Amino acid sequence: MLGITEKTLQDLQFPTVLETVANHCNTDLGREKALAIAPIANREVLMAALRQTSEYVSSFQNNNALPNHGFESIDHELKLLAIENSFLETGSFRKILALSETTLQMLQYLKKFSDYYPELSKRGEQVEFNKDISKFIEAVLDKYGEVRDDASPVLIDLRRQMNQVRSKVNQSFAVALAQYNGLGYLDEIKESFVQNRRVLAVLSMYRRKVKGSVMGTSKTGSIAFIEPEATLRFSRELANLEFEEQEEVTRILKALANRIRPFAPLLSDYQQFLSDIDVVAAKAKYARRINGLLPELNNERRVFLREAFHPILYQTNAAKNQPTYPQTLELTDDRRIIVISGPNAGGKTIALKTVGLLQLMLQSGMLIPVHERSSTFLFDRILTDIGDNQSIENHLSTYSYRLKNMNYFLKKCNANTLFLIDEFGTGSDPELGGALAEIFLEEFYHRGAFGIITTHYSNLKMLANELPNAVNANMLFDEKSLEPMFKLVLGQAGSSFTFEVAQKNGIPFGLINRAKKKIETGKVRFDKTIATLQKERSKLEKTSQTLKEEEIKAREESRRMQDINERIKQKLENYQELYDANQKRIYLGQKIDEITDRYTDNKNRKEAIGEFLKLLEIESSKRKKVAPKEKKEKEAVQKQIIKEVEVKVEEIRKEKKEKKQKAQPAAKPKPVLKVGDRVRMQDGRSIGTIDKIEKNKAVVNYGIFTSTVSLDTLEFVG
């Protein structure tokens, strides 16, 4: 293990991650190994573990999913095999067979798909491929896990005899059943089983008349259960054969155990191999849940975590349907130490823990939830001082405990160390504690260590600003509501917003002013300046985001207008082609009309045909030969244009018709016709007089004749 203490693992909640990973394991041994995962010191071993997990994650997306790797632990069986001439039950051999078969299947699969899973295949190559274990067990046990009849010549002979005797038992019992049933000695149930023996249900009054052995009676005593005499003889013979069979089975299983015993180390390897695969699968399943991946591992002493999520917080918020805000952070030789400041509940500690936990996970062979372009390198030590660590057992105060911890840091801190300190310098007098914290920070800086600290101390913010390879950072706050935005920004210290937050929470303004007078004016002005700068940065962030959104909208609108312009241009070209084609047809129509007029005048057919052929030759010479496919496409375009034009013309006609109807004066109400009125038919000129009206009919007198017509067809003349 690297220079990472149990305290560091606890501070960064690494055991919580391991518990989640262990819950994804299929086997008990896999769960034990998952809970024992620790940072790996050897780079090659670490890279192999990371690649194995990454390969397993890829199996979720491709069509070559890895086969089942589940198994039952054979630790008990391995202990028995270590004892000479020990005996294993058939169930134990079934577990060993299943383990062997599962391992061989996995080894064959990894060999076949070594291109997909190179690192997992390398792990498989470390395990011997041996079919003898399966062959030996399958020669003795059938597919149901029972000892086969042909496992030995003696066993097959015994079981043949047992079948014959069982047949005799059944025959003799059937004879006795028929005999005593006919005599009326049996109860309605006739027969039953007692001590796994078939017996007659004899009425108690006839028990002395039935020859055989009484095996028991009913609860009321009305029935005696008797095994017939003839059946009893054969049952004893069968019992003797069953005893001999059991002796032979025991001898066979002992012989099988002796054959399997030399393979005990190999079986242990099989179990270790499958449990390792189980742990890799569990890490892959966890990576899929947190969107984990393998970032670049560099040798340039650079930690660049882009869009990094705290995995525990991510899962917790996902379960509550709440958002989790990622952080982007970079540490290099030119910027080795980051001092994060700002008010409480802004996310400083989460940002610090995110870096530490992700680094721990990665150095333990686990994938981490960051952007694919992230990059980091491996630390020899990770030192943490997070939270209120008051030691009740050692009677140490918080500050004493932290000083003891700082002493440990001073002993272990070097250029390959990552230190993470939350609320640096707290626990003592602000002036004295701040001064001592400043000295510690300078010492860590001069040793070339990488680190992230959170603090409220102004002197540490100023020191970070003065040291060339250190930088201030703050968690953004909304300048109006003072609500946290959970976004880390490098390059500027953060205000604690002490008085602003107090005012927001209802503390009287007069008390706040009195508090301000209690402290140095310089400190108030310094904190106020930082707060103002932080508010300005928040405004700039929002403005920048708004401008980006508007820029994206403008680009989309420009692209849309460009597409519309292209379509309009194409339509205009198509309409122009259609217009030219129609103009050409009009010209040809006029020419043909002229030829027709001349032919009508002089009836000179020869001249007319000559002129027509001449016109045909001229038009033919103008037209270039078009390929059938191109012609077909052109015709299709023209048809589409014509169709669009027809639709548009129809719309225009409809519009004109509606306008015309609106322009017409409203129709005058039709007068009610009566006898004596002068009228005429709506489509006629003759005027007559109405002589008679019956229902909807009128008799109209035209002088010379009369006509009966519908009233609806008549117009009033007056």
Side-chain angles (χ1 to χ4, degrees):
M1 183 173 174
L2 294 168
I4 298 173
T5 63
E6 184 63 30
K7 176 187 173 300
T8 295
L9 300 179
Q10 293 292 338
D11 282 350
L12 297 173
Q13 296 176 278
F14 189 61
T16 305
V17 172
L18 297 188
E19 285 176 13
T20 309
V21 173
N23 289 335
H24 288 293
C25 290
N26 295 333
T27 66
D28 293 335
L29 188 56
R31 275 185 277 275
E32 289 176 15
K33 286 189 174 183
L35 291 172
I37 291 174
I40 302 167
N42 187 295
R43 186 184 176 92
E44 289 184 9
V45 175
L46 172 62
M47 291 308 300
L50 288 168
R51 291 193 192 104
Q52 285 174 11
T53 307
S54 185
E55 287 172 9
Y56 207 108
V57 170
S58 69
S59 73
F60 297 139
Q61 282 86 41
N62 62 39
N63 296 322
N64 299 311
L66 287 156
N68 169 53
H69 55 264
F71 67 94
E72 288 185 74
S73 174
I74 61 165
D75 285 342
H76 176 67
E77 285 73 17
L78 290 173
K79 288 176 182 176
L80 287 175
L81 286 174
I83 303 169
E84 199 66 30
N85 293 321
S86 57
F87 168 76
L88 295 181
E89 297 287 350
T90 54
S92 294
F93 283 115
R94 288 184 67 182
K95 286 163 65 176
I96 291 172
L97 177 62
L99 174 70
S100 179
E101 288 292 305
T102 303
T103 304
L104 296 185
Q105 185 183 6
M106 180 65 76
L107 293 176
Q108 285 177 320
Y109 180 88
L110 292 176
K111 185 176 181 181
K112 182 179 179 181
F113 293 101
S114 58
D115 291 342
Y116 287 92
Y117 310 113
E119 205 61 52
L120 288 169
S121 297
K122 286 180 186 176
R123 176 66 182 91
E125 288 169 3
Q126 298 170 12
V127 182
E128 180 187 341
F129 186 89
N130 192 308
K131 290 185 176 181
D132 289 344
I133 298 170
S134 300
K135 185 174 69 176
F136 292 152
I137 296 175
E138 287 172 346
V140 173
L141 302 183
D142 60 18
K143 61 182 179 180
Y144 304 108
E146 301 296 330
V147 177
R148 301 165 63 96
D149 292 347
D150 58 355
S152 76
V154 174
L155 185 62
I156 196 169
D157 184 55
L158 283 170
R159 288 183 174 174
R160 181 180 54 77
Q161 292 180 49
M162 287 166 63
N163 288 333
Q164 290 174 354
V165 174
R166 283 194 186 99
S167 179
K168 290 177 182 179
V169 168
N170 291 333
Q171 287 174 7
S172 62
F173 187 86
V175 170
L177 179 67
Q179 177 188 350
Y180 293 119
N181 189 43
L183 293 171
Y185 294 171
L186 304 182
D187 184 66
E188 289 181 0
I189 63 172
K190 295 181 183 179
E191 63 175 293
S192 184
F193 278 89
V194 176
Q195 298 175 17
N196 205 28
R197 307 267 286 268
R198 200 174 175 191
V199 294
L200 296 172
V202 181
L203 295 169
S204 293
M205 64 183 75
Y206 302 117
R207 60 188 295 180
R208 295 186 183 279
K209 293 185 179 184
V210 177
K211 293 181 179 181
S213 175
V214 178
M215 303 294 292
T217 60
S218 64
K219 289 182 180 179
T220 59
S222 61
I223 301 173
F225 297 111
I226 301 173
E227 185 175 15
E229 188 177 36
T231 304
L232 182 60
R233 187 172 67 252
F234 291 125
S235 293
R236 287 170 180 164
E237 186 180 349
L238 180 61
N240 291 332
L241 289 171
E242 286 176 344
F243 178 78
E244 291 179 28
E245 181 211 24
Q246 189 56 47
E247 288 289 308
E248 180 61 16
V249 165
T250 301
R251 188 195 64 78
I252 291 168
L253 293 179
K254 280 186 177 180
L256 179 59
N258 288 332
R259 299 194 78 176
I260 297 298
R261 186 168 287 106
F263 296 102
L266 181 58
L267 289 171
S268 180
D269 288 347
Y270 284 178
Q271 188 166 248
Q272 293 301 322
F273 170 67
L274 289 183
S275 60
D276 285 348
I277 295 294
D278 193 26
V279 173
V280 172
K283 290 194 289 187
K285 290 171 188 173
Y286 179 64
R288 183 167 61 168
R289 285 186 62 184
I290 61 172
N291 299 320
L293 53 82
L294 175 59
E296 177 195 30
L297 288 178
N298 62 69
N299 296 314
E300 304 162 4
R301 285 168 53 83
R302 175 176 180 251
V303 176
F304 175 55
L305 300 180
R306 178 177 170 184
E307 295 174 17
F309 288 89
H310 190 286
I312 300 172
L313 184 64
Y314 177 81
Q315 284 195 282
T316 304
N317 286 345
K320 298 176 183 176
N321 289 323
Q322 293 178 355
T324 304
Y325 301 95
Q327 302 298 337
T328 297
L329 180 145
E330 185 175 19
L331 292 168
T332 63
D333 273 327
D334 296 333
R335 188 167 59 191
R336 290 183 280 106
I337 296 175
I338 297 176
V339 177
I340 306 175
S341 50
N344 292 327
K348 301 192 304 293
T349 303
I350 288 296
L352 177 142
K353 282 187 173 182
T354 299
V355 176
L357 181 56
L358 295 188
Q359 195 68 34
L360 264 184
M361 288 171 61
L362 189 68
Q363 294 195 209
S364 301
M366 301 168 68
L367 307 186
I368 58 175
V370 294
H371 190 277
E372 58 186 6
R373 292 189 181 176
S374 299
S375 178
T376 186
F377 76 102
L378 306 178
F379 292 97
D380 290 344
R381 290 188 181 89
I382 299 177
L383 305 174
T384 58
D385 186 2
I386 299 172
D388 183 5
N389 293 300
Q390 188 170 14
S391 176
I392 297 172
E393 298 86 354
N394 298 320
H395 307 287
L396 296 175
S397 68
T398 299
Y399 191 59
S400 297
Y401 186 90
R402 301 198 81 163
L403 285 176
K404 193 173 182 181
N405 211 26
M406 286 302 102
N407 188 37
Y408 179 78
F409 276 35
L410 292 171
K411 289 177 182 178
K412 300 294 183 181
C413 194
N414 59 29
N416 288 320
T417 299
L418 172 67
F419 65 88
L420 306 165
I421 306 175
D422 190 32
E423 301 297 345
F424 194 26
T426 57
S428 180
D429 178 271
E431 294 293 334
L432 305 179
L436 195 55
E438 190 174 334
I439 296 302
F440 287 148
L441 183 57
E442 286 178 348
E443 186 63 25
F444 299 151
Y445 176 84
H446 291 308
R447 293 190 185 188
F450 281 59
I452 301 173
I453 68 169
T454 67
T455 187
H456 290 286
Y457 285 3
S458 299
N459 64 318
L460 295 179
K461 301 177 192 178
M462 295 175 71
L463 178 62
N465 199 45
E466 292 167 2
L467 296 173
N469 298 331
V471 65
N472 274 302
N474 70 85
M475 304 300 295
L476 280 184
F477 264 64
D478 187 277
E479 72 277 2
K480 293 181 180 177
S481 65
L482 290 179
E483 293 294 327
M485 295 170 67
F486 301 104
K487 185 174 182 182
L488 181 69
V489 177
L490 300 177
Q492 181 183 311
S495 167
S496 297
F497 289 101
T498 305
F499 298 122
E500 290 86 349
V501 172
Q503 188 175 345
K504 184 192 173 190
N505 284 280
I507 303 301
F509 190 70
L511 294 180
I512 293 172
N513 276 336
R514 283 170 61 189
K516 286 182 179 179
K517 291 174 183 177
K518 292 283 184 181
I519 58 175
E520 295 176 22
T521 307
K523 282 190 176 180
V524 176
R525 289 177 63 191
F526 179 69
D527 194 73
K528 188 176 181 181
T529 302
I530 291 176
T532 304
L533 288 172
Q534 200 165 339
K535 288 178 182 179
E536 290 299 321
R537 180 182 282 273
S538 296
K539 285 181 182 178
L540 287 172
E541 285 281 335
K542 285 187 177 180
T543 305
S544 175
Q545 185 64 30
T546 304
L547 288 173
K548 281 181 182 177
E549 290 174 0
E550 289 178 357
E551 184 184 358
I552 291 168
K553 286 181 182 177
R555 284 179 184 171
E556 289 176 354
E557 185 64 22
S558 174
R559 196 180 298 111
R560 192 176 69 83
M561 294 302 295
Q562 193 173 352
D563 291 342
I564 293 171
N565 190 35
E566 287 294 327
R567 287 200 295 273
I568 292 172
K569 187 178 178 182
Q570 185 62 44
K571 278 195 173 185
L572 285 173
E573 290 177 359
N574 293 337
Y575 286 144
Q576 185 63 46
E577 288 182 7
L578 182 63
Y579 175 78
D580 293 344
N582 286 337
Q583 285 296 108
K584 190 180 288 183
R585 288 190 179 91
I586 292 169
Y587 170 75
L588 288 174
Q590 289 174 346
K591 284 290 183 182
I592 292 171
D593 195 43
E594 289 175 6
I595 294 170
T596 304
D597 289 342
R598 282 199 292 273
Y599 175 73
T600 304
D601 292 341
N602 56 27
K603 301 294 182 182
N604 189 337
R605 182 179 294 178
K606 187 175 180 181
E607 182 184 344
I609 291 171
E611 288 182 0
F612 182 75
L613 290 174
K614 184 179 177 183
L615 179 64
L616 194 64
E617 289 291 335
I618 292 169
E619 285 303 315
S620 180
S621 64
K622 289 180 182 177
R623 298 186 185 186
K624 61 181 181 180
K625 195 170 182 181
V626 182
K629 186 178 179 181
E630 189 179 343
K631 185 179 180 183
K632 193 174 181 181
E633 290 175 355
K634 196 170 183 181
E635 287 175 352
V637 171
Q638 287 184 349
K639 282 180 182 177
Q640 181 64 29
I641 296 168
I642 291 168
K643 190 175 180 182
E644 290 177 5
V645 170
E646 286 175 349
V647 170
K648 194 67 180 174
V649 168
E650 187 61 34
E651 288 176 359
I652 293 168
R653 283 175 179 167
K654 191 175 179 181
E655 191 178 340
K656 282 185 177 180
K657 189 175 180 181
E658 289 174 355
K659 284 181 180 178
K660 190 175 181 182
Q661 287 176 349
K662 286 179 183 177
Q664 287 178 351
K668 293 180 180 179
K670 194 173 182 180
V672 179
L673 299 175
K674 58 186 183 294
V675 176
D677 286 347
R678 297 177 72 237
V679 295
R680 68 179 173 198
M681 299 287 286
Q682 289 178 352
D683 54 352
R685 295 181 181 179
S686 301
I687 299 174
T689 307
I690 298 175
D691 286 351
K692 189 178 180 182
I693 297 175
E694 290 182 356
K695 294 182 180 180
N696 200 33
K697 301 283 185 180
V699 178
V700 181
N701 188 344
Y702 289 100
I704 303 172
F705 64 92
T706 60
S707 176
T708 302
V709 296
S710 174
L711 282 171
D712 295 335
T713 61
L714 296 175
E715 288 181 352
F716 178 74
V717 176

